[in-house]
Amino acid sequence: MPLDSTGFLHRFKRGGDGPTIVIKDSIDVAGYATGMGSRAYADARIASADAACVTALTAAGFSIVGKSVLHELALGATGINEWQGTPLNTRYPDYVPGGSSSGSATLVGAGLVDIGVGTDTGGSVRVPAACCGVTGLKTTFGLIDHAGVYPATTTLDCVGFFARDALLIEQCVVACAPQAPPPRTVTAIGVLTLPGDGDVQAALAIFGATTGCAIVAVELDDIEAAFDAGFTILAAEAWAGAGHLVGKGLLNADLEARMGASAGITTEQIAAAERERDRFRGAIDHLLTQVDVIVLPTLAECPPTLEQGAKAASGVQLTRYVRPFNLSGHPAIAIPLKRDDDTPSSLQLVGRYGDDRTLCHVAQAILQAL
């Protein structure tokens, strides 16, 4: 089903009269097929019940107004979808909208909805948030009930939210995870020194001067190894869940090739990736005993233009600084930054397990300081 250029796949009204929300089409909404952005699911079953997160948001009075398009099978960082169409990134129209939760991000960026619900397996909320100039939270792994969300079996994927206001995202966290701890007072922020972090350093200097919060330099060994391990596990889990679609002419050529390559991942490679998960998770936990929040860039490089993205449809390099935190399971939020050359830029905050509400408050304070 082709979509309009905004990112809507279906439009409807459900729930209360609160802030408006659009739901990514990898999440069940009763009465609609969960199409995963792919012709492979063109005849998918009609969902008989809402996903747990949709039920929670509806019960909290939010207004569900539609479903949004995504990168095919939620497996790609550009948001380009040749089958359904690519939603327009209104803030940066020459650039890709980012994936996989592309439609949810573009609709928030265009001001057509207050909140977008997405999923994040390897950066799929934070990357489109950065590309579209909005705020996007990947929640703590396991914090929000994953029932009715695809992929159904995962050690990486989390429900996440987009908005322009981080405190509006916090309201979604409270609705979907009332057990989440209240926000803590933050006194020290640790900044990782990485290539391309000039915007981040400048933003935090302003924030520190405005609030008096301590900004300290910190180090984290071998983030590249965590990226590689996260990629291995994601590929193995993607093959387990959707490998049966390969070779049937149902997938875009880029995804077909990447899925095919995933078939060769060995049990030894998966075991090594799990060992790296334990190492990296421990390193993050230790660092977060020294500071309250870790800060680094969201994107490892400027997003491709639409023309460039069509030639490298997965956009995997965009996820170098985000994918490691899917591996570790920590919550992470991306907030937009302004650049003199008016290209997409974003700052990423990473917090302790369950500290999603704290991240929302820190993100809002930085947005206000800037």
Side-chain angles (χ1 to χ4, degrees):
M1 176 188 297
L3 79 162
D4 60 41
S5 63
T6 62
F8 273 114
L9 187 64
H10 304 291
R11 296 175 186 253
F12 52 84
K13 176 73 165 62
R14 180 175 301 176
D17 295 322
T20 55
I21 296 186
V22 67
I23 308 294
K24 182 179 181 178
D25 195 32
S26 59
I27 300 173
D28 281 348
V29 173
Y32 295 87
T34 305
M36 298 296 294
S38 176
R39 64 171 58 85
Y41 288 88
D43 298 319
R45 66 174 179 83
I46 303 297
S48 60
D50 289 338
C53 61
V54 176
T55 299
L57 291 166
T58 302
F62 290 95
S63 177
I64 312 297
V65 296
K67 296 197 80 176
S68 59
V69 75
L70 63 151
H71 197 115
E72 186 175 14
L73 299 188
L75 292 172
T78 64
I80 291 175
N81 188 314
E82 294 182 1
W83 184 61
Q84 290 183 324
T86 301
L88 176 65
N89 180 353
T90 55
R91 175 64 183 86
Y92 300 103
D94 293 334
Y95 291 86
V96 298
S100 64
S101 308
S102 53
S104 291
T106 58
L107 285 162
V108 170
L112 297 175
V113 297
D114 298 313
I115 300 159
V117 180
T119 60
D120 192 316
T121 316
S124 288
V125 167
R126 289 159 292 159
V127 168
C131 290
C132 295
V134 299
T135 297
L137 171 71
K138 179 199 86 71
T139 54
T140 300
F141 181 79
L143 180 70
I144 293 177
D145 190 337
H146 205 261
V149 181
Y150 300 91
T153 302
T154 177
T155 65
L156 301 169
D157 191 53
C158 309
V159 173
F161 307 100
F162 301 93
R164 292 179 177 274
D165 184 322
L167 297 186
L168 193 52
I169 292 177
E170 186 197 14
Q171 291 180 34
C172 296
V173 173
V174 171
C176 294
Q179 78 279 14
R184 297 183 300 106
T185 299
V186 170
T187 59
I189 290 178
V191 186
L192 292 179
T193 301
L194 293 166
D197 70 350
D199 298 330
V200 171
Q201 298 282 357
L204 287 177
I206 295 171
F207 174 69
T210 303
T211 64
C213 184
I215 310 296
V216 299
V218 295
E219 295 183 358
L220 186 62
D221 292 336
D222 216 353
I223 195 170
E224 289 294 325
F227 167 82
D228 291 339
F231 190 82
T232 295
I233 292 172
L234 185 150
E237 292 182 351
W239 176 259
H244 63 284
L245 300 175
V246 173
K248 298 181 179 180
L250 296 172
L251 304 177
N252 178 58
D254 168 74
L255 183 56
E256 178 89 10
R258 287 188 288 121
M259 286 290 293
S262 299
I265 294 174
T266 66
T267 55
E268 290 79 8
Q269 288 173 306
I270 295 171
E274 290 293 353
R275 289 192 295 272
E276 174 57 24
R277 190 202 299 262
D278 290 341
R279 183 203 70 81
F280 187 70
R281 180 184 290 156
I284 296 297
D285 286 340
H286 176 70
L287 193 52
L288 286 169
T289 64
Q290 303 171 41
V291 294
D292 299 299
V293 172
I294 301 167
V295 177
L296 68 162
T298 304
L299 300 175
E301 58 187 37
C302 183
T305 63
L306 287 167
E307 182 180 358
Q308 292 167 338
K311 299 173 183 176
S314 70
V316 67
Q317 297 303 318
L318 290 175
T319 68
R320 288 205 166 271
Y321 296 159
V322 291
R323 188 182 302 276
F325 305 105
N326 294 94
L327 183 74
S328 70
H330 293 85
I333 191 167
I335 65 174
L337 299 176
K338 292 183 179 180
R339 291 176 59 104
D340 292 339
D341 62 1
D342 201 33
T343 56
S345 181
S346 174
L347 174 155
Q348 181 180 198
L349 302 164
V350 179
R352 300 168 188 169
Y353 280 94
D355 250 357
D356 303 61
R357 295 179 63 186
T358 297
L359 286 187
C360 290
H361 278 254
V362 178
Q364 188 68 16
I366 293 174
L367 288 168
Q368 291 174 344
L370 297 179

